[in-house]
Amino acid sequence: HWPPGRVAGVFQCTKKLFLSEQASRGRTLEFIRKNAANGLSVANLVAGLSSILCSLNRQYHHSCWLLLVGFLLDLADGAVARRLDACSALGAKLDDFADFTTFGLATALLLQPQSTLEGLLAIAYMMAVFARLCFFSTGIPFTYRGLPCPYASSLLVSTFLLTAGNVTLLRITAIVMILFMVDRGLYPHDKVLESQLWKKVFYAGGVVAVLFLPATVASAYCLAWSISYIIFPFAIWSCTA
């Protein structure tokens, strides 16, 4: 038999080890909670950077697929941050940087500028996204001022895929999207994953379409999604719980 003192010492060591593991697990879970949305923003950023590389190598279909993935990630990261109560200034800056990279720079490269005028159009598109992200704030809860750039990007990508890369039509569409983004008209904060059940199902359908279905089906799905938000923003997509 062990002496009582040694038994008590073993018990104390076991207790300390157990409490230490619990504290470590708690810190890990807290770190995950605080950074889950940031992780989605980083994934969006990586998708945008990868899309840029694909466009520079003229692999435009791969670039479009990555932009649609970024569209879905962007809709998810805000919902995750609010659900986990992990909104922060750093997270907001990271999200804006990822959005500009993916929905500004990477999307503008789909315009394939070859001349000075075409280059100016690409720059104008990026500046419209920049203005939309940095300067168009509202004092109205759950409301955007100007068309959110992920929807403009999704519409451009879908147009590109459905028209087999018709650059002329894409550039015309980009000009229209610039006008929508710089206009100060109001758009609702859709909160797809925090609203009615049908919106969550619609989002899940988008995930299935982008990840598993042919590009034509995915692009048609996202085109209908984007057009419905642009034309009927409050009638369909206002964030009713």
Side-chain angles (χ1 to χ4, degrees):
H1 297 289
W2 284 7
R6 181 174 295 182
V7 173
V10 171
F11 176 76
Q12 289 295 330
C13 289
T14 304
K15 182 179 178 181
K16 287 180 181 179
L17 180 62
F18 178 74
L19 292 176
S20 176
E21 288 180 353
Q22 275 193 323
S24 177
R25 190 180 299 112
R27 287 192 296 269
T28 300
L29 292 175
E30 180 65 13
F31 177 83
I32 293 173
R33 184 188 71 81
K34 288 184 176 181
N35 291 281
N38 291 345
L40 290 173
S41 293
V42 170
N44 183 14
L45 176 61
V46 171
L49 293 173
S50 301
S51 176
I52 291 170
L53 292 176
C54 288
S55 292
L56 293 176
N57 287 289
R58 300 188 176 279
Q59 298 174 338
Y60 294 110
H61 278 75
H62 292 153
S63 177
C64 288
W65 182 81
L66 288 163
L67 289 172
L68 292 179
V69 170
F71 172 66
L72 296 172
L73 289 170
D74 183 70
L75 291 176
D77 65 10
V80 169
R82 289 185 293 271
R83 176 68 107 176
L84 299 178
D85 191 23
C87 299
S88 66
L90 174 62
K93 291 177 182 178
L94 179 60
D95 183 54
D96 284 346
F97 181 64
D99 284 355
F100 179 76
T101 301
T102 303
F103 309 123
L105 181 56
T107 303
L109 287 178
L110 291 180
L111 301 175
Q112 304 174 41
Q114 302 293 327
S115 65
T116 301
L117 189 60
E118 294 165 358
L120 289 175
L121 175 60
I123 292 172
Y125 188 89
M126 287 185 283
M127 292 305 296
V129 172
F130 177 77
R132 169 64 189 79
L133 291 171
C134 296
F135 302 114
F136 284 22
S137 61
T138 69
I140 306 172
F142 312 122
T143 304
Y144 298 116
R145 194 176 291 280
L147 175 66
C149 49
Y151 286 95
S153 174
S154 175
L155 191 143
L156 283 177
V157 168
S158 301
T159 300
F160 185 91
L161 291 172
L162 290 173
T163 60
N166 187 318
V167 180
T168 301
L169 181 58
L170 188 71
R171 290 168 182 163
I172 294 172
T173 307
I175 293 171
V176 175
M177 289 301 99
I178 289 171
L179 297 177
F180 272 98
M181 284 190 286
V182 299
D183 180 73
R184 289 182 175 268
L186 298 179
Y187 285 86
H189 194 315
D190 48 6
K191 284 193 168 185
V192 176
L193 295 176
E194 302 164 85
S195 193
Q196 297 103 316
L197 177 61
W198 74 265
K199 292 182 183 177
K200 300 174 185 178
V201 173
F202 198 84
Y203 178 88
V207 173
V208 171
V210 170
L211 295 183
F212 303 109
L213 298 182
T216 303
V217 176
S219 54
Y221 194 96
C222 292
L223 180 66
W225 189 347
S226 301
I227 289 177
S228 68
Y229 179 83
I230 294 170
I231 299 179
F232 307 108
F234 286 96
I236 297 178
W237 293 103
S238 58
C239 52
T240 304

